[in-house]
Amino acid sequence: ATSLGANSVRDSTLDGTNNGATTGVTGKIGNAWQFDGSNDDATAGIPSDWKFLNDGSTSWTITSYLKDADVGSDKHYFGTSENTSSGHGIRVGTNSNGMRIYTLNSNADLAGVSYTSSTNFHINESTWRHYAMVYDSTAGTFKVYKDGVADTNVGAMTSFVDGTSNDPLTFGRNPSAQTYFTGMTIDEVGFFKGVLTSSEITSLANGNSVSSISRSDLYAYYDFDQTGTTLENQVTSPSDYTTNLS
């Protein structure tokens, strides 16, 4: 992974905490973090930071590189909810049928996005694969891209329900409990409050960093270059950016 310019001042409010993941492993770009599927996880921000992913209020795109990822029932790559203890939220992982992504209401019932991948989108591969998950609030659609190519399966859409999860963004396990830890190596995770174009998704899939995409709606960016206990958000806060222009 690669960080933003040295003169930028980061928005640290979306920083996270590493709870056992192996840092400093070879990433797609620079370093990556590896989760062992036994007792490792990481969390970032607070629950309200991620509300936009499950309330349908805005379009969004999530991008990520993954390799050596566990697959099967109840595998959790990242998300903010899974069951009634957390309620509202989003879940990105797999079930017995493939990659599974959905958003939830307060009862942890499906509300908004519900996606299951086609068979060629399984992700337990020993080489880096790029994924882009795109919710378009205007078109009312959800699509997933693997290495720049859209899955033929698209997300089924229902009405979103407004609400905030009880849990922050969590990597490597069920966000709602200390269970279903999931092994994977992860790098270059970006959250945009907008719809990335196909050319932007292709650029990222070709090995360019999230920071190479010039968009004002980049909300959070984790490059996983850090080797300590803090997962650093690489996005510059607007007020600091204005200051740095002077």
Side-chain angles (χ1 to χ4, degrees):
T2 185
S3 60
L4 300 179
N7 293 326
S8 299
V9 178
R10 297 188 308 102
D11 176 7
S12 61
T13 62
L14 294 177
D15 281 1
T17 301
N18 176 16
N19 301 303
T22 301
T23 63
V25 303
T26 301
K28 177 64 179 180
I29 306 172
N31 292 336
W33 286 15
Q34 187 174 63
F35 296 82
D36 65 7
S38 176
N39 57 8
D40 297 348
D41 67 71
T43 59
I46 60 176
S48 60
D49 292 329
W50 309 104
K51 179 177 178 289
F52 72 95
L53 293 172
N54 65 261
D55 66 8
S57 61
T58 187
S59 299
W60 48 259
T61 302
I62 305 172
T63 63
S64 175
Y65 269 102
L66 290 170
K67 64 176 285 192
D68 298 324
D70 290 345
V71 296
S73 297
D74 292 315
K75 301 303 180 183
H76 301 261
Y77 302 132
F78 49 86
T80 58
S81 183
E82 175 58 17
N83 57 36
T84 53
S85 66
S86 285
H88 300 278
I90 186 171
R91 186 258 199 184
V92 177
T94 65
N95 64 11
S96 58
N97 294 316
M99 195 171 192
R100 186 79 171 106
I101 302 169
Y102 47 75
T103 53
L104 302 165
N105 64 18
S106 60
N107 296 318
D109 297 322
L110 297 178
V113 170
S114 178
Y115 162 83
T116 301
S117 66
S118 59
T119 55
N120 65 331
F121 268 60
H122 286 301
I123 69 176
N124 58 331
E125 300 180 60
S126 59
T127 56
W128 286 107
R129 298 295 185 185
H130 185 265
Y131 295 88
M133 298 148 251
V134 183
Y135 166 62
D136 186 330
S137 62
T138 301
T141 58
F142 179 77
K143 298 179 181 179
V144 177
Y145 295 76
K146 177 182 179 180
D147 294 338
V149 178
D151 192 0
T152 54
N153 286 5
V154 296
M157 302 300 301
T158 57
S159 297
F160 288 89
V161 177
D162 189 23
T164 302
S165 174
N166 290 324
D167 293 298
L169 181 67
T170 303
F171 296 90
R173 67 165 169 84
N174 182 332
S176 307
Q178 294 290 325
T179 58
Y180 299 114
F181 289 90
T182 301
M184 63 178 175
T185 307
I186 191 168
D187 198 5
E188 288 290 315
V189 176
F191 294 85
F192 298 81
K193 285 189 172 182
V195 175
L196 262 63
T197 65
S198 58
S199 61
E200 289 170 332
I201 291 171
T202 298
S203 177
L204 294 175
N206 286 339
N208 293 304
S209 68
V210 170
S211 60
S212 72
I213 304 298
S214 180
R215 292 184 62 108
S216 61
D217 57 10
L218 177 59
Y219 178 71
Y221 166 35
Y222 302 107
D223 63 9
F224 293 92
D225 269 350
Q226 299 77 48
T227 56
T229 58
T230 301
L231 177 63
E232 296 182 355
N233 172 34
Q234 299 299 312
V235 174
T236 302
S237 62
S239 59
D240 290 333
Y241 181 72
T242 301
T243 301
N244 288 339
L245 289 178
S246 62

